[in-house]
Amino acid sequence: MEKLVIVAIGGNSLVRENGRDSVNDQYEAVCETAGHIADMVEEGYSVVVTHGNGPQVGFGLRRSEIANEIVGMPAMPLVNCVADTQGGIGYQIQQALTNVFVKRGINKKVATVITQVEVSKDDPNFLNPTKPVGSFFTLNQAEEMKKEHPDWIFMEDSGRGYRRVVPSPKPIDIVEKDAIKSLIESSFVVIAVGGGGVPVVKTADDSYMGVDAVIDKDFATGLLAEQISAETLIITTGVSRVCINFGKPNQKALDKISVNETKQYVLEDHFAKGSMLPKIEASLNFLENNGKRVIITDPKSLKDALNEQAGTHILAQSECLQIAQ
């Protein structure tokens, strides 16, 4: 039986630097990452892939805004933008993986699942939206948009202008988890919960309704890992290892650490709230719900990280005891 691993790819890692942010540039980045995922499959792992979509949703919203301003086309709701980017990025990852599997003679098929993720309509984030999305506007532009969309909220962002802010509720259930499990059991590499999933809430008659929000992709990935009983959660980022005292003379890269050690580092405020902290919090949630280990590393180190030669490994208490014995 293959060991099940779920790996989260950051949306920013799919956007090239120095203005190389076209769809073709993104596909080049996807192909590079697909090679690293193929390495994992060759090592004998069953793999589920998730991905971020922050920059891509911003691009999509801006396109919609321009089309609305110039020719009066209907604006695209945020929830639909999330679904669109799930499909677009999922298609690229799916094609890149299929092609690399053919080239390497790997007998695996790939499928993308457009995934709805349930959130609570009572989540406090709905009352206090803080997640910036889309483009920057002047105060006058923001006020004009408020007239057309009274429920939209704008906040000043770091002196660069005003941006729309949306809720970022916590995920509570992966709606398509059974479909994802069936594909895994049929030996598919599955791409799911793109961008944290399409946020939905349950209505009074138990049907689903999409809501304009964004779900943190690491929290959604951790929940999916729990619900499909994955042994290992891998979160890719821009560094090969997590560091404490980051950017200081006493900076230290972390190799293997326990849940308790990780919690202590959180209390000591070692992890940046806008970047590493959500990854750490998602890791702890997974490990406290029967996960065995979390690896945080960069995409090129995936194979070495699985062989314990790279990455930061956060281990559940049971795994720490086995090592100690």
Side-chain angles (χ1 to χ4, degrees):
M1 182 73 176
E2 295 175 332
K3 292 183 178 180
L4 180 57
V5 173
I6 185 165
V7 56
I9 303 167
N12 285 308
S13 68
L14 302 180
V15 176
R16 301 283 192 174
E17 295 180 356
N18 301 320
R20 295 186 60 201
D21 52 12
S22 71
V23 173
N24 287 336
D25 292 326
Q26 179 174 285
Y27 186 63
E28 286 184 20
V30 166
C31 287
E32 184 177 327
T33 300
H36 303 312
I37 294 170
D39 291 340
M40 298 166 60
V41 175
E42 285 184 320
E43 289 282 302
Y45 290 93
S46 177
V47 180
V48 174
V49 181
T50 72
H51 62 83
N53 68 347
Q56 294 81 4
V57 163
F59 296 157
L61 286 173
R62 186 57 185 149
R63 291 187 195 101
S64 174
E65 291 157 3
I66 292 170
N68 179 260
E69 292 166 6
I70 303 301
V71 295
M73 291 186 68
M76 175 77 76
L78 173 59
V79 66
N80 290 75
C81 258
V82 173
D84 282 358
T85 53
Q86 268 203 51
I89 299 171
Y91 149 70
Q92 288 191 324
I93 298 172
Q94 180 174 303
Q95 185 178 89
L97 282 172
T98 298
N99 289 345
V100 74
F101 289 167
V102 169
K103 288 178 182 177
R104 297 194 190 183
I106 300 171
N107 185 25
K108 279 281 188 180
K109 294 182 179 180
V110 190
T112 301
V113 178
I114 303 302
T115 316
Q116 301 173 95
V117 175
E118 184 185 350
V119 299
S120 170
K121 63 180 182 299
D122 298 319
D123 190 296
N125 279 275
F126 283 113
L127 298 177
N128 184 32
T130 56
K131 180 70 172 177
V133 296
S135 305
F136 292 90
F137 299 97
T138 65
L139 178 59
N140 287 339
Q141 287 174 321
E143 289 175 344
E144 285 300 314
M145 295 183 78
K146 279 280 290 181
K147 291 177 184 177
E148 187 173 350
H149 304 281
D151 57 330
W152 286 15
I153 299 172
F154 290 83
M155 289 181 64
E156 197 275 333
D157 187 349
S158 306
R160 295 175 291 176
Y162 288 78
R163 295 179 76 190
R164 183 183 172 194
V165 291
V166 299
S168 185
K170 291 291 189 295
I172 59 176
D173 189 35
I174 309 297
V175 178
E176 284 78 20
K177 58 183 177 293
D178 290 336
I180 294 167
K181 288 177 184 176
S182 294
L183 287 165
I184 295 166
E185 289 166 1
S186 298
S187 295
F188 277 78
V189 171
V190 184
I191 303 154
V193 296
V198 180
V200 297
V201 296
K202 271 192 176 179
T203 63
D205 63 355
D206 277 345
S207 59
Y208 291 107
M209 179 180 68
V211 290
D212 277 350
V214 291
I215 301 170
D216 183 276
K217 74 103 171 43
D218 295 317
F219 281 110
T221 301
L223 178 61
L224 176 61
E226 176 191 337
Q227 293 190 337
I228 63 174
S229 301
E231 290 188 358
T232 301
L233 165 62
I234 304 177
I235 299 175
T236 66
T237 185
V239 293
S240 60
R241 282 191 168 96
V242 179
C243 294
I244 56 173
N245 302 312
F246 185 75
K248 299 177 182 178
N250 60 339
Q251 176 176 309
K252 177 186 176 183
L254 301 174
D255 182 11
K256 289 183 180 178
I257 53 176
S258 68
V259 166
N260 289 339
E261 288 173 308
T262 306
K263 288 180 177 179
Q264 185 59 40
Y265 289 138
V266 171
L267 289 174
E268 293 171 0
D269 203 23
H270 281 287
F271 308 119
K273 292 182 180 178
S275 56
M276 189 56 70
L277 183 60
K279 302 180 192 314
I280 296 295
E281 290 175 336
S283 301
L284 292 172
N285 284 347
F286 171 65
L287 293 170
E288 291 178 337
N289 287 281
N290 298 319
K292 291 187 176 180
R293 67 168 171 167
V294 174
I295 303 171
I296 302 177
T297 193
D298 54 10
K300 66 183 180 182
S301 301
L302 283 171
K303 180 179 177 180
D304 287 341
L306 279 170
N307 292 318
E308 300 187 4
Q309 296 172 357
T312 294
H313 296 243
I314 308 174
L315 304 177
Q317 194 62 33
S318 59
E319 298 298 298
C320 292
L321 290 173
Q322 286 183 23
I323 292 172
Q325 293 169 357

